[in-house]
């Protein structure tokens, strides 16, 4: 009986890890669509519309799956799910808005690697939950700082505005990951994902109406980027994140999802080479060294 239980646990862990790996691939390629979307519309417009598309796609899934399940559908604690969804939505709105504005002023590859700093922030924020932070985490933080310097600082020792925004976005994503982990075992992943994207979509659309001056023509021209970012990155990706995190250590989950940085860099370079993106996505030798150090720090923090 004990061996069977252990085997089931290993199978579940492997399955959830693969789910998060798929999530990382979807998110990594989404950086390209996010960057492309800036050619057509304001960041608030893109973020708001893609979030509402994501929420709508998840709602369709919820309605269909619960209708198929019928009486066998698991009962929902609506109060807890709404609370979790609102909290996740607040942090997601902050993170995704900072990221969307940041991508406008920096490259896809740099944005991808800076965003992955959330893997280091996750265990560091454990301090506030009275968790001990291992020395290796602090060592990884120093490595990440060195990598960030090589990746982002120019020869004039100036840090780009886009890099700063994406850095702050990584902090917000770390808080969102910790929030998901806190509720993951007690919530319905799809319902919470739908709520958090509705919150993000409504807030960003209000921002778009105030500052973005959206038009139907903008949405039509950027439809492809909106659909990928909305249906796949938001609807599928974030739902897979919540499902995949169940039963996994949050820091390990963050490590797997951090692979989006590698995928973002590769997909950004390919998109530039085939002419999909007009801004040069090629990284210099110095920036590549920074990427390697940042990613090494991300891996180091997981070795214990």
């Amino acid at each position: 009986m004990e061996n069977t239980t252990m085997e089931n646990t290993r199978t579940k862990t492997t399955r959830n890890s693969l789910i998060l790996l798929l999530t990382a691939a979807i998110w990594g390629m989404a950086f390209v669509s996010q960057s492309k979307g800036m050619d057509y519309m304001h960041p608030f417009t893109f973020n708001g519309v893609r979030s509402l598309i994501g929420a709508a796609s998840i709602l369709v899934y919820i309605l269909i799956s619960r209708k198929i399940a019928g009486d066998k559908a698991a009962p929902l604690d609506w109060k807890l799910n709404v609370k979790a969804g609102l909290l996740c939505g607040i942090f997601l709105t902050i993170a995704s808005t900072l990221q969307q504005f940041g991508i406008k002023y920096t490259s896809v590859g740099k944005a991808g690697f800076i965003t992955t700093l959330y893997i280091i922030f996750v265990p560091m924020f454990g301090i506030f939950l009275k968790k001990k932070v291992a020395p290796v985490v602090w060592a990884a933080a120093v490595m990440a700082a060195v990598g960030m310097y090589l990746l982002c600082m120019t020869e004039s020792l100036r840090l780009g505005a886009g890099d700063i925004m994406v850095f702050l976005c990584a902090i917000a994503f770390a808080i969102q990951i910790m929030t998901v982990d806190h509720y993951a075992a007690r919530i319905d992943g799809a319902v919470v994902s739908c709520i958090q994207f509705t919150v993000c979509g409504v807030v960003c659309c209000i921002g778009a109406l105030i500052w973005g001056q959206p038009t139907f023509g903008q949405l039509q021209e950027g439809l492809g980027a909106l659909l990928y970012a909305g249906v796949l990155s938001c609807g599928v990706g974030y739902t897979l994140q919540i499902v995949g995190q169940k039963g996994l250590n949050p820091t390990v989950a963050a490590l797997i999802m951090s692979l989006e940085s590698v995928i973002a860099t590769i997909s950004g370079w390919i998109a530039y080479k085939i002419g999909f993106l007009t801004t040069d996505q090629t990284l210099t030798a110095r920036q590549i060294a920074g990427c390697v150090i940042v990613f090494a720090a991300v891996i180091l923090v997981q070795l214990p």
Side-chain angles (χ1 to χ4, degrees), residues 26-27 29-35 37 46-47 49-55 57 99-100 197 222-238:
I26 293 173
W27 283 348
M29 289 184 284
F31 278 91
V32 173
S33 67
Q34 288 177 248
S35 181
F46 185 86
N47 220 25
V49 175
R50 73 147 177 169
S51 296
L52 291 181
I53 290 175
S57 63
Q99 186 184 67
Q100 196 61 43
F197 277 110
L223 183 60
L226 282 170
L227 287 177
Y228 183 93
V231 177
L232 288 178
S233 180
C234 295
V236 177
Y238 279 89

Side-chain angles (χ1 to χ4, degrees), residues 44-45 47-49 51 93 96-97 199-209:
F44 269 130
T45 304
N47 220 25
V49 175
S51 296
T93 301
S96 59
T97 300
V199 171
C200 184
V202 170
V203 173
C204 289
C205 281
I206 292 174
L209 292 174

Side-chain angles (χ1 to χ4, degrees), residues 59 62-63 66 74-86 186-188 190-192 194-195:
L59 179 60
I62 293 172
L63 294 176
R66 294 191 74 82
L76 290 175
D77 183 340
W78 282 106
K79 183 177 180 180
L80 183 64
N81 278 271
V82 170
K83 180 181 179 181
L86 290 175
R186 298 172 289 155
I187 58 176
D188 184 294
V191 171
V192 170
C194 183
I195 294 172

Side-chain angles (χ1 to χ4, degrees):
M1 177 67 73
E2 184 177 347
N3 289 336
T4 302
T5 302
M6 291 179 63
E7 185 65 31
N8 290 337
T9 300
R10 281 195 294 268
T11 300
K12 183 178 180 181
T13 299
T14 302
R15 183 197 66 193
N16 287 6
S17 297
L18 291 174
I19 288 174
L20 292 184
L21 182 59
L22 176 59
T23 302
I26 293 173
W27 283 348
M29 289 184 284
F31 278 91
V32 173
S33 67
Q34 288 177 248
S35 181
K36 186 65 176 178
M38 295 302 92
D39 292 341
Y40 308 111
M41 65 196 77
H42 190 274
F44 269 130
T45 304
F46 185 86
N47 220 25
V49 175
R50 73 147 177 169
S51 296
L52 291 181
I53 290 175
S57 63
I58 297 170
L59 179 60
V60 170
Y61 164 75
I62 293 172
L63 294 176
I64 293 176
S65 62
R66 294 191 74 82
K67 184 174 181 179
I68 293 175
D71 296 336
K72 296 181 180 179
L76 290 175
D77 183 340
W78 282 106
K79 183 177 180 180
L80 183 64
N81 278 271
V82 170
K83 180 181 179 181
L86 290 175
L87 284 173
C88 289
I90 291 170
F91 295 123
L92 178 66
T93 301
I94 296 171
S96 59
T97 300
L98 285 168
Q99 186 184 67
Q100 196 61 43
F101 273 90
I103 287 177
K104 186 177 181 180
Y105 302 107
T106 191
S107 71
V108 168
K110 287 173 69 177
F113 273 92
I114 297 171
T115 299
T116 57
L117 288 174
Y118 61 69
I119 181 67
I120 295 175
F121 294 141
V122 166
M124 289 181 68
F125 287 170
I127 294 174
F128 299 103
L129 301 177
K130 298 181 179 179
K131 295 181 179 180
K132 186 178 179 181
V133 178
V136 69
V137 174
W138 297 113
V142 173
M143 285 180 62
V146 173
M148 281 283 291
Y149 177 85
L150 295 174
L151 178 61
C152 302
M153 294 294 283
T154 63
E155 293 180 358
S156 59
L157 299 182
R158 293 181 60 186
L159 185 64
D163 301 329
I164 295 174
M165 291 179 188
V166 180
F167 179 82
L168 294 175
C169 138
I171 295 176
F173 271 132
I175 298 174
Q176 191 259 0
I177 288 173
M178 296 297 288
T179 304
V180 169
D181 177 68
H182 178 72
Y183 290 105
R186 298 172 289 155
I187 58 176
D188 184 294
V191 171
V192 170
S193 192
C194 183
I195 294 172
Q196 74 171 353
F197 277 110
T198 300
V199 171
C200 184
V202 170
V203 173
C204 289
C205 281
I206 292 174
L209 292 174
I210 297 173
W211 294 289
Q213 299 177 332
T215 65
F216 180 76
Q218 293 173 355
L219 301 180
Q220 190 175 31
E221 289 179 344
L223 183 60
L226 282 170
L227 287 177
Y228 183 93
V231 177
L232 288 178
S233 180
C234 295
V236 177
Y238 279 89
T239 301
L240 288 177
Q241 176 208 354
I242 293 175
V243 173
Q245 274 193 239
K246 289 185 178 181
L248 282 183
N249 181 292
T251 312
V252 173
L255 169 64
I256 297 173
M257 291 186 287
S258 72
L259 290 172
E260 69 175 293
S261 64
V262 178
I263 298 169
T265 303
I266 296 173
S267 58
W269 181 79
I270 292 174
Y272 169 67
K273 288 298 182 181
I274 64 176
F276 187 72
L277 294 180
T278 56
T279 305
D280 192 351
Q281 300 294 318
T282 305
L283 297 177
T284 65
R286 170 185 167 128
Q287 290 173 323
I288 291 174
C291 291
V292 171
I293 294 174
V294 168
F295 200 65
V298 166
I299 295 176
L300 177 65
V301 86
Q302 299 306 321
L303 292 182

